[in-house]
Amino acid sequence: MVTASGTVVDDRMGPELTADGNGMPENGSQPSVHNAIGASRWSANRADNVWIAYDLRANASLKSVDIAWGNTFGADYNIEVSNDGQSWTNVLTGLSGERASTVSHQLPDGTQG
């Protein structure tokens, strides 16, 4: 299950579209691919202090997080984990995305969530 804060754009870029298994389009800098209906994206509508959470339904060992950014991207974001969805622990902080690219973040050994 995927949940998020912030306001999606036009009610068609909700958090459930971020975990559909579709990768970054070949030309990630093309705005139309990110704005198409059904595009693999969640938009916080340029808001600050928003979040997106993935419930894995069971505790799991986590090794990395890949984020595919479009023409807009997060700056100064954190990756947090939780065993219960209530209490969160920062595992990586002060991260920044890159325009139209996929950023891979390796998590510290032993990360569980």
Side-chain angles (χ1 to χ4, degrees):
M1 180 171 77
V2 183
T3 56
S5 70
T7 304
V8 298
V9 178
D10 299 332
D11 295 324
R12 61 185 173 90
M13 296 175 187
E16 68 280 356
L17 294 176
T18 65
D20 63 5
N22 292 329
M24 186 76 158
E26 190 172 319
N27 181 359
S29 64
Q30 180 91 356
S32 61
V33 299
H34 301 289
N35 297 326
I37 292 174
S40 299
R41 81 174 266 192
W42 166 66
S43 175
N45 207 12
R46 300 180 191 252
D48 290 328
N49 301 315
V50 295
W51 52 264
I52 189 163
Y54 296 87
D55 184 346
L56 303 179
R57 302 285 189 198
N59 195 27
S61 294
L62 305 171
K63 295 184 179 190
S64 65
V65 173
D66 292 344
I67 303 173
W69 296 103
N71 287 321
T72 57
F73 54 90
D76 195 24
Y77 62 90
N78 302 329
I79 295 177
E80 302 176 346
V81 296
S82 175
N83 289 323
D84 60 10
Q86 302 294 314
S87 176
W88 295 86
T89 302
N90 281 324
V91 292
L92 296 175
T93 60
L95 304 172
S96 184
E98 290 181 35
R99 181 180 182 271
S101 65
T102 299
V103 177
S104 183
H105 300 292
Q106 299 304 309
L107 303 179
D109 288 341
T111 299
Q112 298 279 314

